PDB file of all heavy atoms in Angstrom:
ATOM      1  N   ILE L   9      86.488 181.300  57.859  1.00  0.00           N
ATOM      2  CA  ILE L   9      86.099 180.062  58.520  1.00  0.00           C
ATOM      3  C   ILE L   9      86.424 178.883  57.654  1.00  0.00           C
ATOM      4  O   ILE L   9      86.140 178.862  56.464  1.00  0.00           O
ATOM      5  CB  ILE L   9      84.594 180.084  58.877  1.00  0.00           C
ATOM      6  CG1 ILE L   9      84.321 181.184  59.920  1.00  0.00           C
ATOM      7  CG2 ILE L   9      84.133 178.731  59.391  1.00  0.00           C
ATOM      8  CD1 ILE L   9      82.881 181.377  60.232  1.00  0.00           C
ATOM      9  N   HIS L  41      86.682 211.908  49.844  1.00  0.00           N
ATOM     10  CA  HIS L  41      87.733 212.864  50.194  1.00  0.00           C
ATOM     11  C   HIS L  41      87.735 214.065  49.247  1.00  0.00           C
ATOM     12  O   HIS L  41      87.976 215.199  49.665  1.00  0.00           O
ATOM     13  CB  HIS L  41      89.097 212.176  50.218  1.00  0.00           C
ATOM     14  CG  HIS L  41      89.337 211.440  51.493  1.00  0.00           C
ATOM     15  ND1 HIS L  41      89.884 212.015  52.597  1.00  0.00           N
ATOM     16  CD2 HIS L  41      89.085 210.150  51.833  1.00  0.00           C
ATOM     17  CE1 HIS L  41      89.946 211.131  53.584  1.00  0.00           C
ATOM     18  NE2 HIS L  41      89.465 209.974  53.141  1.00  0.00           N
ATOM     19  N   ASP L  45      87.314 217.867  50.418  1.00  0.00           N
ATOM     20  CA  ASP L  45      88.240 218.922  50.022  1.00  0.00           C
ATOM     21  C   ASP L  45      87.541 220.117  49.374  1.00  0.00           C
ATOM     22  O   ASP L  45      87.871 221.285  49.650  1.00  0.00           O
ATOM     23  CB  ASP L  45      89.296 218.370  49.036  1.00  0.00           C
ATOM     24  CG  ASP L  45      90.290 217.422  49.699  1.00  0.00           C
ATOM     25  OD1 ASP L  45      90.372 217.425  50.959  1.00  0.00           O
ATOM     26  OD2 ASP L  45      90.962 216.671  48.965  1.00  0.00           O
ATOM     27  N   LYS L  48      85.691 221.998  52.178  1.00  0.00           N
ATOM     28  CA  LYS L  48      86.640 222.734  53.023  1.00  0.00           C
ATOM     29  C   LYS L  48      87.145 223.963  52.284  1.00  0.00           C
ATOM     30  O   LYS L  48      87.286 225.044  52.889  1.00  0.00           O
ATOM     31  CB  LYS L  48      87.805 221.822  53.421  1.00  0.00           C
ATOM     32  CG  LYS L  48      87.426 220.826  54.498  1.00  0.00           C
ATOM     33  CD  LYS L  48      88.450 219.750  54.743  1.00  0.00           C
ATOM     34  CE  LYS L  48      89.813 220.214  55.076  1.00  0.00           C
ATOM     35  NZ  LYS L  48      90.736 219.085  55.414  1.00  0.00           N
ATOM     36  N   LYS L  56      87.548 233.619  54.586  1.00  0.00           N
ATOM     37  CA  LYS L  56      88.485 234.652  54.159  1.00  0.00           C
ATOM     38  C   LYS L  56      87.739 235.937  53.799  1.00  0.00           C
ATOM     39  O   LYS L  56      88.145 237.028  54.193  1.00  0.00           O
ATOM     40  CB  LYS L  56      89.307 234.199  52.969  1.00  0.00           C
ATOM     41  CG  LYS L  56      90.422 233.260  53.300  1.00  0.00           C
ATOM     42  CD  LYS L  56      91.187 232.897  52.041  1.00  0.00           C
ATOM     43  CE  LYS L  56      92.237 231.859  52.284  1.00  0.00           C
ATOM     44  NZ  LYS L  56      92.943 231.473  51.033  1.00  0.00           N
ATOM     45  N   LYS L  58      84.751 236.868  54.827  1.00  0.00           N
ATOM     46  CA  LYS L  58      84.202 237.485  56.053  1.00  0.00           C
ATOM     47  C   LYS L  58      85.277 238.240  56.805  1.00  0.00           C
ATOM     48  O   LYS L  58      85.062 239.345  57.271  1.00  0.00           O
ATOM     49  CB  LYS L  58      83.597 236.386  56.966  1.00  0.00           C
ATOM     50  CG  LYS L  58      82.254 235.867  56.509  1.00  0.00           C
ATOM     51  CD  LYS L  58      81.725 234.855  57.512  1.00  0.00           C
ATOM     52  CE  LYS L  58      80.369 234.338  57.094  1.00  0.00           C
ATOM     53  NZ  LYS L  58      79.850 233.349  58.068  1.00  0.00           N
ATOM     54  N   ILE L  66      85.351 233.481  64.203  1.00  0.00           N
ATOM     55  CA  ILE L  66      85.326 232.554  65.301  1.00  0.00           C
ATOM     56  C   ILE L  66      84.094 232.849  66.153  1.00  0.00           C
ATOM     57  O   ILE L  66      83.939 233.958  66.671  1.00  0.00           O
ATOM     58  CB  ILE L  66      86.603 232.634  66.159  1.00  0.00           C
ATOM     59  CG1 ILE L  66      87.816 232.297  65.315  1.00  0.00           C
ATOM     60  CG2 ILE L  66      86.499 231.699  67.346  1.00  0.00           C
ATOM     61  CD1 ILE L  66      89.137 232.486  66.009  1.00  0.00           C
TER      62      ILE L  66
END
Side-chain angles (χ1 to χ4, degrees):
I9 294 175
H41 279 273
D45 289 344
K48 285 169 57 175
K56 282 181 185 177
K58 283 182 180 180
I66 299 175

